[in-house]
Amino acid sequence: MTEQEKRIVVIGAGIMGASLAYHLARKGARVTVVDAEGIASGVTGHSFAWINTSSSEPDPIAPLRSAAIEAYHQLETELPGLTVQWTGALSYGEMTSAAPSAASNPPVANRLSRAQILDLEPNLKHPPESASYAPAEGALDPMATTQALIAGAQAHGAKVLTRTPVHGLAIRHAKVIGVETAMGIIEADLVVVAAGTGITKLTDRLEMPLPIEASPALLIRYKTQPNRVRTLISSPEMEVRQTAQGALLAAEDYLDDTTENQPDAIALRTAKAIQDALHGVVAIEPEWACVGLRPMPADGIPIIGYLPKVAGVYVCAAHPGITLAAIVGRLASEEIIDGEVSSALGPCRPDRFFRD
Ligand SMILES: Cc1cc2nc3c(=O)[nH]c(=O)nc-3n(C[C@H](O)[C@H](O)[C@H](O)COP(=O)(O)OP(=O)(O)OC[C@H]3O[C@@H](n4cnc5c(N)ncnc54)[C@H](O)[C@@H]3O)c2cc1C
């Protein structure tokens, strides 16, 4: 059997698992995607989905972020159902956002004056003195994108099993040989664990618990007037963008469990903040507001690569997972199939948690 003919089970049909499945199947691997629920049924389906390549702090994954946009452009040429809204992103003030942080003046961004800001976003009632604008950034429909990646994987022969929880990894002689499901063991030469916040439970059973927290954040969808927001605005008052279909999306921090901070209550407060910030928002009606659980590695750096001590398992957990899914899928598939070790993935290796 050649490396290309490897039988690979990917656990998780979120954007990360879907991207891995697509890139692996495209290289000729015999891929089976297994998900406990459905496609994009995890946090992916509740994501603000900003392809945000900026970072305000020294960033060990800067090379990954800087390749993220090109990787999506490449996918757009390969997959007809995958389109990104390349609107650019406007950031100002001190951010308290649910989405990944934006730097005040990142290298990918230009500094704009108030007049330039108004050219871009004429509906802003209180434009700041200056803002940072990342023209190459954009946002995507996470559900449609994940479905397009899965369809692309299927076009290259991948099988997809939904409503199939994986209860554990099957091991023989210190090697994982497949996944345990209610239908029995699905055998594999390699298991790729892209199960989001479900990863820790699966790796616990190998006695290699990976420290991935379930970090809550809120996504709200509103019905409102079209063309209120042209770019993606990230400010202290709001983090908003308007979809191609006209819905207004807002990302908010999860605060706590109290009545005043329930999703519906935050949705009403955020609606008021949006009306105060934008001209022409005559009516704004929350359609839904829900909490998504982001897979957040304890040290904030993605966890990508082979598990140490046991053969046959490759793990993939990242925040910001939407931003990184395309590039991680590509680089991980090159490691797995072509044996090309990626230096950009170097800081992400799981063995950093198991050194004595
Ligand atoms: C409000 C909000 C805003 C966000 N904004 C951004 C943003 O602007 N930009 C950005 O890059 N990221 C953003 N994120 C984060 C981003 O959505 C996630 O990082 C990304 O979606 C993670 O994808 P995933 O495929 O790893 O996980 P998931 O989408 O959770 O997929 C994991 C899948 O694994 C399955 N699974 C779990 N356990 C098992 C098991 N035992 N057996 C079988 N299947 C299993 C689940 O059913 C699920 O479908 C945001 C998140 C939220 C909540």
Side-chain angles (χ1 to χ4, degrees), residues 108-130:
V108 289
N110 310 321
R111 204 78 209 158
L112 299 192
S113 67
R114 179 173 281 169
Q116 290 170 313
I117 295 165
L118 279 176
D119 274 350
L120 275 177
E121 291 292 3
N123 295 316
L124 274 179
K125 285 185 186 169
H126 317 289
E129 281 293 327
S130 71

Side-chain angles (χ1 to χ4, degrees), residues 286-308:
E287 290 184 312
W288 47 255
C290 43
V291 176
L293 297 176
R294 299 168 294 181
M296 192 74 80
D299 59 6
I301 299 170
I303 305 177
I304 303 165
Y306 291 100
L307 275 189

Side-chain angles (χ1 to χ4, degrees), residues 11-12 192-199 202 316:
I11 308 175
V192 174
V193 188
T197 53
I199 292 176
L202 290 165
C316 198

Side-chain angles (χ1 to χ4, degrees), residues 3-4 27 330-341:
E3 289 299 298
Q4 279 76 9
K27 284 186 173 287
R330 182 202 289 175
L331 296 177
S333 71
E334 287 169 3
E335 289 198 332
I336 292 167
I337 304 296
D338 308 324
E340 279 175 26
V341 176

Side-chain angles (χ1 to χ4, degrees), residues 85-111:
Q85 278 182 284
W86 296 112
T87 56
L90 192 67
S91 307
Y92 51 92
E94 196 183 313
M95 249 59 68
T96 54
S97 75
S101 62
S104 55
N105 193 13
V108 289
N110 310 321
R111 204 78 209 158

Side-chain angles (χ1 to χ4, degrees), residues 11-17 34-38 41-44 46-50 98-100 164-166 194-196 198 202 217-219 251 292-295 318-323:
I11 308 175
I15 196 161
M16 203 49 91
V34 185
D35 197 287
E37 295 179 34
S41 59
V43 67
T44 295
H46 299 136
S47 184
F48 188 62
W50 172 9
T164 309
V166 170
L202 290 165
L218 197 64
L219 185 73
L293 297 176
R294 299 168 294 181
H319 181 71
I322 302 284
T323 302

